[in-house]
Every structure is written in structure tokens, then in C-alpha cells.
Amino acid sequence: MTAASFSPARAARMTADALRGRSVDSPQSGTIQVVDVAADGDSWPIRIRFTTRAHHWPVHRTWETSFEPADVTDEDEPCTGEFGDDHAQELAANALTLLLEYLATGPGGGIHEIAPDPS
């Protein structure tokens, strides 16, 4: 089986579950805590949107990133055909790494900040 057989909706939900409540410490940004996660996806790529807070931000900030099957598979290793908890944990860790890179270097790297609702 190939990674394309992964259910994107299931993958998005599992990755969102793996992100909920996670936190990461950054010398530049302080402690970043994931406070809410929304997952959307009927087909690849899956999209994860998460809200974070850090001690020096006046409000929660919302970020979005997406993932392709290649982000959780290695063509040199056999694929089980099932999206498992280990894949979800890997994508959750990747999302936080992308966020830290974004905060350190600016736009790029597959993540972007969602503008807050002006109302």
C-alpha cells in the first residue's frame, strides 16, 4: 500500500489531537502553548490550524500549515497503509518546528499566521 491510501480526514483529526495541549519553549518567543486546534481535509494535503499563546503576546495567535503524504512516509521504508499515532505525533512535532522556524526567520517554511478577525 502507499501513503496515498491514508484517509486525509482521519490524518487531520489525529494530528490535531496530537497537537492539542502541546507546548514548546523558545528563547526568542517564550513558551508557546497550543490552546486550540482545527483540522480540515477531504483530500491531500491535510490542513491544520492552531491557536497558540505565549507569555508576551497580548492575544492568542492563529497559525496554519498543511502536510502531504510524503511528510509522514519514507520511500525507503515500507508503508503500512494505515495512518497511525506515530505519524500524527511526527506531524504535530513538524508543525511546532515550522512555527518556531517561522517565528525565528519570518514568512516561509510552510506555515503562516491567520490574520485576526478585525471585528
Side-chain angles (χ1 to χ4, degrees), residues 26 28-29 32 52 57 61 63 98-106 111 113:
S26 163
Q28 296 85 10
S29 304
I32 298 167
T52 60
W57 295 340
R61 295 172 73 179
W63 312 88
L98 288 173
L99 175 59
L100 290 175
E101 288 174 2
Y102 179 93
L103 294 173
T105 63
I111 194 167
E113 186 168 10

Side-chain angles (χ1 to χ4, degrees), residues 13-110:
R13 282 191 309 274
M14 289 178 71
T15 304
D17 288 344
L19 268 168
R20 268 187 202 92
R22 277 190 132 164
S23 65
V24 62
D25 292 315
S26 163
Q28 296 85 10
S29 304
T31 299
I32 298 167
Q33 169 97 30
V34 177
V35 294
D36 188 33
V37 184
D40 179 27
D42 294 337
S43 62
W44 293 96
I46 63 170
R47 192 176 54 191
I48 305 293
R49 181 177 288 190
F50 53 105
T51 303
T52 60
R53 89 172 151 221
H55 64 272
H56 64 281
W57 295 340
V59 295
H60 296 244
R61 295 172 73 179
T62 302
W63 312 88
E64 186 174 272
T65 190
S66 61
F67 299 98
E68 296 283 349
D71 293 322
V72 291
T73 60
D74 182 348
E75 61 187 47
D76 295 333
E77 295 180 17
C79 178
T80 65
E82 291 288 327
F83 187 91
D85 188 55
D86 55 334
H87 294 112
Q89 294 295 331
E90 183 177 342
L91 285 183
N94 288 351
L96 290 176
T97 299
L98 288 173
L99 175 59
L100 290 175
E101 288 174 2
Y102 179 93
L103 294 173
T105 63

